[in-house]
C-alpha cells in the first residue's frame, strides 16, 4: 500500500480531485467507483468547483445504497450523490450507476449491478472511505465476507454513523443495504482509500499494518497491487511505518 499523508482534509481533497480530473482527461470514458459519507464531501466540493471538465463520457458506480429507500428519499445515497456531485457536473444520467434500494427483487438487483460493472470493462478507479470498525462499502466485520454485490445487514455503529441523514435518529436508518462485495471492490484496477480524523486512526492502523482478517474488511486491500491510502495527520497518527 502506498501511504500519502496530508496536513488536512482540504489538501487531501485538492490532490485527489486533481488525480480524478487528470484521469478523466487521459481517459474520457473513465469508469469511476464512488463512496458517500462525510469523508468524500471535500472531494466532491473540489470537483464541483472544477466542473468545467467534460464528464459526459464518464461512468460511475456507487459502492452502496440503503434497502427500501427510493432514490428521491433524502436519506438515500442517490440523493446524496445528486446533491454533492452529479447535479453539478456534465455526467449523463444514463452513465450513473446506483443500486436501486427499492428494486422488487434485491438479489436480482445485485446481479444486475455486477453485470453492469462487467459490461463497462470493470472499474478503473475506485475511491473508498473506511468505517471506524474497518468496514468498506457495507462490508462489515464478520466471520465471512461476501465476494459480490449483496444484501448487507448493518451494524448499529454503522446505522448511528448515518443517523444525521435521518433526523439524527439511528433507528430510522434502514437495517439493510445493498453493497458491492469484496471481489467487486478488489476488482478495480486502481483503488484510492481516503481517511480523515482521529476516529479513523485505529481502523487505518489495522488496515495498513494489521493481519488480513474478515474482522477488518479493509485489511483485504493489502492484497491489491495498486492501492493509494490518502490520510490526514489525525487518521495517520497510529501508523508506525
Ligand atoms: C459509503 C461507504 C462507507 C463509508 C464509511 C466511512 O458509501 O461505502 O463504507 O465510506 O462508512 O464513512 P464516513 O466517510 O462518513 O466516515
Amino acid at each position: 500500500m502506498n501511504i500519502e499523508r496530508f496536513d488536512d482534509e482540504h489538501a487531501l481533497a485538492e490532490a485527489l480531485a486533481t488525480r480524478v480530473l487528470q484521469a478523466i482527461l487521459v481517459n474520457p470514458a473513465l469508469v469511476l467507483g464512488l463512496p458517500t459519507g462525510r469523508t468524500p464531501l471535500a472531494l466532491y466540493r473540489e470537483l464541483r468547483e472544477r466542473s468545467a471538465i467534460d464528464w459526459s463520457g464518464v461512468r460511475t458506480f456507487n459502492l452502496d445504497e440503503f434497502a427500501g429507500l427510493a432514490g428521491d428519499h433524502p436519506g438515500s445515497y442517490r440523493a446524496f450523490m445528486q446533491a454533492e456531485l452529479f447535479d453539478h457536473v456534465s455526467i449523463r444520467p444514463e452513465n450513473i450507476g446506483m443500486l436501486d434500494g427499492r428494486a422488487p427483487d434485491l438479489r436480482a438487483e445485485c446481479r444486475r449491478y455486477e453485470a453492469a460493472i462487467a459490461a463497462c470493462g470493470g472499474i478503473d478507479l475506485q475511491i473508498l472511505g473506511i468505517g471506524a470498525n474497518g468496514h468498506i462499502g457495507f462490508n462489515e466485520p464478520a466471520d465471512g465476507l461476501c465476494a459480490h454485490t449483496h444484501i448487507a445487514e448493518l451494524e448499529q455503529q454503522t446505522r448511528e454513523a448515518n443517523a444525521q441523514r435521518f433526523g439524527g435518529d439511528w433507528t430510522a436508518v434502514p437495517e439493510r443495504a445493498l453493497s458491492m462485495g469484496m471481489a467487486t471492490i478488489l476488482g478495480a484496477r486502481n483503488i484510492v482509500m481516503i481517511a480523515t480524523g482521529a476516529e479513523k486512526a485505529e481502523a487505518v492502523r489495522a488496515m495498513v499494518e494489521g493481519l488480513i482478517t474478515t474482522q477488518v474488511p479493509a485489511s483485504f486491500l493489502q492484497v491489491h497491487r495498486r492501492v493509494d491510502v490518502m490520510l490526514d495527520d489525525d487518521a495517520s497518527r497510529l501508523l508506525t511505518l
Side-chain angles (χ1 to χ4, degrees):
M1 290 172 136
N2 174 44
I3 310 296
E4 296 175 39
R5 291 180 167 86
F6 296 86
D7 287 343
D8 55 44
E9 67 170 347
H10 302 292
L12 187 163
E14 267 180 31
L16 181 52
T18 299
R19 175 168 174 174
V20 169
L21 295 174
Q22 275 173 352
I24 295 172
L25 287 174
V26 169
N27 176 11
L30 190 77
V31 183
L32 201 49
L34 295 173
T36 55
R38 173 190 59 81
T39 317
L41 286 173
L43 167 68
Y44 295 147
R45 189 182 321 119
E46 280 292 323
L47 291 173
R48 290 198 300 270
E49 285 172 6
R50 301 193 226 167
S51 61
I53 296 284
D54 180 10
W55 284 69
S56 63
V58 175
R59 293 224 41 163
T60 62
F61 288 96
N62 265 81
L63 280 160
D64 39 25
E65 179 59 285
F66 291 110
L69 296 191
D72 59 0
H73 187 288
S76 73
Y77 284 167
R78 158 66 84 161
F80 173 101
M81 289 306 302
Q82 289 298 144
E84 297 298 330
L85 182 66
F86 298 150
D87 285 345
H88 309 276
V89 295
S90 55
I91 192 165
R92 293 182 191 195
E94 63 271 28
N95 286 353
I96 296 171
M98 294 285 311
L99 284 152
D100 178 1
R102 287 282 293 269
D105 180 342
L106 293 178
R107 286 170 186 262
E109 173 62 3
C110 293
R111 289 194 295 273
R112 178 198 69 79
Y113 208 58
E114 288 285 330
I117 294 170
C120 286
I123 292 172
D124 293 308
L125 175 58
Q126 175 69 57
I127 300 168
L128 296 174
I130 185 170
N133 65 1
H135 73 230
I136 50 175
F138 277 131
N139 298 279
E140 299 274 22
D143 290 340
L145 299 172
C146 291
H148 298 112
T149 303
H150 60 282
I151 304 165
E153 306 288 331
L154 303 187
E155 302 262 334
Q156 181 175 329
Q157 185 184 19
T158 302
R159 293 172 70 203
E160 286 171 356
N162 280 275
Q164 201 194 341
R165 298 182 62 76
F166 293 83
D169 175 11
W170 73 266
T171 64
V173 179
E175 292 173 12
R176 299 191 308 161
L178 306 182
S179 175
M180 287 187 192
M182 298 302 294
T184 328
I185 293 170
L186 292 168
R189 282 181 274 285
N190 297 277
I191 296 177
V192 177
M193 159 61 75
I194 53 176
T196 57
E199 69 276 17
K200 300 294 175 68
E202 177 53 36
V204 166
R205 190 205 57 74
M207 167 179 69
V208 175
E209 298 183 359
L211 293 174
I212 296 169
T213 166
T214 59
Q215 298 303 328
V216 182
S219 65
F220 279 80
L221 297 176
Q222 292 177 30
V223 306
H224 194 281
R225 285 172 194 275
R226 304 191 66 170
V227 179
D228 294 313
V229 181
M230 301 176 77
L231 304 169
D232 71 355
D233 275 349
D234 287 337
S236 69
R237 69 179 185 186
L238 295 180
L239 291 181
T240 57
L241 296 176

